[in-house]
Amino acid sequence: MTPANLLVLATALPLIGFAIVVLLSSRIGSPRFWPWFTVGMVGASLAASTVAYVTFMSGDGAVEVHAWNWLQIGSHADGSPRYLQIGPYVDKMTVLLFAMVTLISTLVHIYSIGYMEGDSRKNRFMAYMQLFTFSMLGIVLGNSLLQLFIFWELVGISSYLLIGFWYEKRGPQLACKKAFVMNRIGDMGFLVGMGILFVKFGGDLVLRAADREGGGVFGSLLLNYPGGAIDALHAGANEWWLTIAGIGLFMGAMGKSAQFPLQTWLPDAMEGPTPVSSIVHSATMVAAGVYLTARIFPLLTPAAHLFVATIGLITLVMAALIACVQTDIKRVLAYSTLSQLGYMVLALGAGSYTFAMFHLVTHAFFKCCLFQCSGSVIHAAHHEQEMTSYGGLMKKMPITAACFAICTLAIAGASIPYTPFGLSGYYSKDGIIAATVNYGDALAAAGMNWGAVFYWGPTIIAYVTAFYMTRAFVLTFLGKPRDKHLYDHAHEVNWTMWAPQVVLAAFAIFIGWGFFKVGANLHDTAPAMAQPFEEREMEHGYHFVHGALLHGFGWMLSIALGFVIYINGFTISSRIAAIPGIAQIHWWLYNKMGFDGLYDIIVVNMFKALAGLMGAFDKLVVDGIVNGAAWVGRELGFLIGGFDYRYVDGTVRGSGRAAVRLGSILHRTQAGNIRMYVLILFVGVFTALAIATPFALGWVWFGLPQH
């Protein structure tokens, strides 16, 4: 089978698993069978993806774009029919992400068996996980913006089902609705951007290979702005409609990847089961926004790139600061995800396509592991999520603590000072910061001296990341227990939960190493405009990074600071937070910078007022017109009814009564008495003769009249 066929099979398997579980799990089989059946289906998908990866990488690396006709949308100039097209798009990034998504999804499925043990709706949960995996694979495989959007919405629906899985609780109810609405806001921009390209490019939305003959979006772009290669930096590409289309498409990514100002749904999504958090935050939903931005990378004009970079910078700074003061362990990790997504988006805006996707891959492993570790702690702590109740759990949960520590070091970008060796996050994050140095310098060269903020921001936040992750680790696993009852009952989780953590922690260590060529393979997929950043320019960026991060010692300072402040729980941090000025900042950050309240006050209340206004208009104007028309009709009906009753029906009734009265008079003559009839006959005859006789005598006496 070709890689494209294998990837289509890998995509279909989770969908088949979803359908089988939904149709048969309540009729046949034991409850323990079906969760392992879903693991088997997604495991088979992993096997197909792995074979596709090996096959494609051992080949010539040529991009495969299969465009299958779907819906006819008119005709070409020669009269031939024109179709909307769908099909697989296969390049090195596709096969790499397929392997990553299916591997992580398999591990999360295994983890879910232990985490959801005892839940009566576990089969339904596993079916939803299958649907979620299928939706994400569909996005990665999509060859056109239309196909991306279809699976984009499927991801939204399946995340709605998973976040709100415990629908009997109010928190998950509100969280899934909030996620759904916030994503629809972003999707509105997606539709606008896709609509502009649909009109401008004659309905061809296929993301074909970047050549003029291939057609599609990129081919159309080259035909409009020939430059020998896709290069949005040339003057002709700086068209207002192309900028609007790029920003519109990126708005879809802002919603899906929870970028500022659409970030508020992601922390609330922690109301769902922890396996949902681990897969949403690592390999599926939030990664989809970054993946979309990478796929539309050649369409982004310089203005759109600046917009993307600015959104990423704001998000990464804002989320990291909020993560420093949260006490719910899952919310700390949620804001950490936001910050790391901000790094990826900033990298794409700065032109560092390769390191953005590289960080997506490395982040998927250590963030999935961190969420699974937090889920194990929550599971052992009887669903207590507040770190104020933890402490000293390393003695009770050594495997989970070790995995959490490894991934904390990975996300902190830990390395061995003055050597090129480090954990996976070290390679990808340092690459992003180095690329932003080039971008900031390019802006400064164009007269925008404030461009330095694009590399000082992520550099400083690299220190903050190591600090808040150390804080979470120390407050959970080190120090003295702050809840003796919780500590006494805590224990290491069963193998279905810790085994996936160990595998993910191992990947978090070495997936960034050059031996695996992840970065190199992603670099091969980079559009032409991103290629020059990978050579001489990057040396300058790395030089800055190594200096700013103290040649590998920087992460040690932040981790040491975290240990000193939190090893005794909240004793020191409470004193710091009580200092005037800092207390207000702490309150502001703890309340998520007030975004939820701001949205409640401005957006929610505005729409409530608008809804009230529309309701009043409906009640007073629309309903008034309808009610008035009904009143006029009713009164007119009464008038016509009265006329009909009094005159029409009155005439009929009067005629009837007259006939009845006449009949009542006449019926007296119909008594059936023969003698009476004879008497009346004689009286009549006698009367007639009495009247007629004089006339007859006169006629005879005086003669007949003469004419």
Side-chain angles (χ1 to χ4, degrees):
M1 297 178 72
T2 65
N5 292 335
L6 286 166
L7 295 184
V8 171
L9 175 64
T11 305
L13 284 170
L15 178 63
I16 295 171
F18 165 77
I20 292 175
V21 174
V22 169
L23 295 175
L24 301 180
S25 62
S26 61
R27 295 178 173 85
I28 60 174
S30 67
R32 291 185 175 275
F33 167 76
W34 290 107
W36 285 108
F37 170 77
T38 61
V39 171
M41 294 301 288
V42 74
S45 179
L46 170 61
S49 301
T50 304
V51 174
Y53 177 82
V54 173
T55 305
F56 190 86
M57 290 302 183
S58 59
D60 58 5
V63 178
E64 294 183 41
V65 184
H66 302 269
W68 304 329
N69 293 334
W70 181 36
L71 292 176
Q72 186 173 349
I73 55 172
S75 303
H76 292 285
D78 59 0
S80 59
R82 172 181 294 172
Y83 293 94
L84 288 176
Q85 295 177 318
I86 58 175
Y89 183 104
V90 184
D91 62 359
K92 288 186 176 180
M93 184 163 73
T94 305
V95 295
L96 179 62
L97 289 187
F98 254 77
M100 180 200 76
V101 171
T102 52
L103 172 60
I104 286 182
S105 182
T106 303
L107 295 173
V108 173
H109 274 69
I110 296 172
Y111 180 87
S112 301
I113 291 176
Y115 191 87
M116 299 300 287
E117 185 67 35
D119 194 306
S120 60
R121 292 174 291 177
K122 184 163 68 173
N123 288 343
R124 179 189 298 184
F125 179 80
M126 301 303 285
Y128 289 166
M129 292 287 285
Q130 295 268 287
L131 182 64
F132 200 42
T133 304
F134 160 73
S135 304
M136 183 60 197
L137 293 177
I139 289 179
V140 177
L141 191 61
N143 73 345
S144 68
L145 291 175
L146 178 66
Q147 188 172 344
L148 281 174
F149 186 75
I150 292 171
F151 285 95
W152 189 266
E153 293 306 306
L154 277 175
V155 165
I157 292 172
S158 47
S159 66
Y160 175 85
L161 296 172
L162 284 170
I163 295 171
F165 180 74
W166 289 325
Y167 57 80
E168 67 277 9
K169 300 178 182 177
R170 182 167 174 75
Q173 286 178 20
L174 297 177
C176 68
K177 285 189 285 188
K178 189 174 186 178
F180 192 81
V181 171
M182 297 296 281
N183 275 275
R184 298 293 79 70
I185 295 172
D187 290 351
M188 180 182 65
F190 193 128
L191 285 172
V192 170
M194 191 165 62
I196 292 173
L197 296 179
F198 184 88
V199 173
K200 289 289 185 179
F201 294 158
D204 193 350
L205 297 175
V206 174
L207 301 171
R208 291 193 175 88
D211 56 66
R212 190 174 293 107
E213 292 75 17
V217 176
F218 300 149
S220 299
L221 187 64
L222 284 170
L223 285 173
N224 282 279
Y225 305 107
I230 292 179
D231 183 0
L233 293 176
H234 63 74
N238 200 14
E239 293 279 353
W240 66 268
W241 63 267
L242 199 56
T243 299
I244 294 175
I247 292 176
L249 292 171
F250 175 66
M251 279 186 65
M254 289 168 62
K256 202 67 77 183
S257 292
Q259 295 295 289
F260 170 83
L262 303 178
Q263 80 282 1
T264 57
W265 69 267
L266 191 57
D268 288 6
M270 298 301 98
E271 296 287 346
T274 299
V276 177
S277 305
S278 65
I279 196 167
V280 165
H281 285 247
S282 55
T284 54
M285 185 171 181
V286 298
V290 177
Y291 176 79
L292 171 68
T293 310
R295 281 299 189 206
I296 64 169
F297 189 88
L299 297 173
L300 300 178
T301 63
H305 271 283
L306 183 59
F307 180 83
V308 172
T310 303
I311 292 296
L313 177 64
I314 294 172
T315 304
L316 76 91
V317 173
M318 176 188 67
L321 295 178
I322 295 176
C324 291
V325 299
Q326 296 299 309
T327 54
D328 183 317
I329 187 171
K330 285 179 67 176
R331 289 186 183 273
V332 172
L333 297 180
Y335 280 105
S336 168
T337 300
L338 284 175
S339 184
Q340 299 308 305
L341 291 171
Y343 270 100
M344 300 173 207
V345 171
L346 170 62
L348 287 167
S352 183
Y353 172 99
T354 301
F355 283 103
M357 299 309 296
F358 191 18
H359 197 53
L360 185 150
V361 174
T362 60
H363 175 265
F365 288 102
F366 53 68
K367 185 52 61 70
C368 186
C369 183
L370 286 168
F371 267 109
Q372 290 195 359
C373 292
S374 71
S376 298
V377 171
I378 293 168
H379 189 269
H382 301 287
H383 297 283
E384 175 58 67
Q385 297 185 190
E386 286 291 326
M387 293 188 295
T388 52
S389 300
Y390 295 164
L393 292 178
M394 176 178 268
K395 295 178 182 176
K396 294 296 187 78
M397 309 177 70
I399 300 175
T400 299
C403 293
F404 199 100
I406 290 170
C407 293
T408 296
L409 292 172
I411 196 173
S415 66
I416 301 174
Y418 289 107
T419 72
F421 301 107
L423 276 68
S424 58
Y426 161 72
Y427 301 100
S428 54
K429 189 184 292 184
D430 280 16
I432 289 175
I433 298 174
T436 59
V437 174
N438 295 327
Y439 187 62
D441 289 348
L443 292 176
M448 294 176 277
N449 294 324
W450 46 266
V453 72
F454 286 103
Y455 54 84
W456 279 114
T459 304
I460 294 171
I461 294 303
Y463 286 94
V464 177
T465 303
F467 172 77
Y468 69 68
M469 287 307 303
T470 304
R471 171 180 179 267
F473 176 76
V474 172
L475 287 174
T476 303
F477 295 105
L478 301 182
K480 296 180 180 179
R482 287 181 289 280
D483 186 328
K484 192 67 169 52
H485 176 75
L486 183 151
Y487 177 80
D488 289 340
H489 288 82
H491 55 81
E492 189 59 270
V493 292
N494 63 43
W495 76 268
T496 58
M497 296 176 71
W498 64 253
Q501 294 170 192
V502 172
V503 175
L504 289 167
F507 273 95
I509 294 173
F510 58 71
I511 194 63
W513 293 359
F515 174 79
F516 293 95
K517 298 182 180 179
V518 175
N521 290 328
L522 288 168
H523 178 68
D524 289 344
T525 68
M529 66 166 290
Q531 301 284 356
F533 284 134
E534 308 304 324
E535 302 298 337
R536 183 175 55 80
E537 290 87 347
M538 289 301 292
E539 293 181 10
H540 167 61
Y542 277 123
H543 179 72
F544 169 86
V545 172
H546 293 156
L549 299 182
L550 305 178
H551 298 278
F553 285 102
W555 62 276
M556 295 183 181
L557 295 177
S558 296
I559 287 179
L561 184 63
F563 266 92
V564 169
I565 294 178
Y566 291 102
I567 192 65
N568 291 320
F570 291 92
T571 305
I572 298 176
S573 63
S574 299
R575 293 175 184 171
I576 297 173
I579 298 173
I582 295 179
Q584 286 73 24
I585 295 174
H586 183 275
W587 177 87
W588 181 54
L589 293 177
Y590 186 78
N591 288 285
K592 311 161 194 171
M593 295 187 175
F595 277 101
D596 282 314
L598 188 67
Y599 289 167
D600 284 341
I601 293 172
I602 298 178
V603 180
V604 175
N605 286 338
M606 182 183 72
F607 278 99
K608 281 184 177 178
L610 183 62
L613 186 64
M614 297 302 292
F617 178 81
D618 179 65
K619 186 176 182 179
L620 298 176
V621 179
V622 179
D623 286 357
I625 294 173
V626 174
N627 293 337
W631 180 85
V632 171
R634 187 184 62 181
E635 295 302 318
L636 187 61
F638 281 136
L639 182 63
I640 295 173
F643 177 82
D644 179 67
Y645 181 78
R646 290 179 180 276
Y647 297 100
V648 179
D649 289 356
T651 304
V652 174
R653 285 195 300 272
S655 301
R657 283 196 293 269
V660 170
R661 288 177 182 176
L662 180 61
S664 64
I665 294 172
L666 294 176
H667 89 279
R668 295 174 183 172
T669 62
Q670 303 296 322
N673 191 334
I674 300 300
R675 287 180 295 179
M676 180 60 71
Y677 294 162
V678 173
L679 177 61
I680 292 172
L681 177 62
F682 275 107
V683 170
V685 171
F686 178 77
T687 303
L689 290 174
I691 295 172
T693 300
F695 289 100
L697 290 175
W699 188 19
V700 173
W701 184 264
F702 295 104
L704 296 172
Q706 300 294 317
H707 297 287

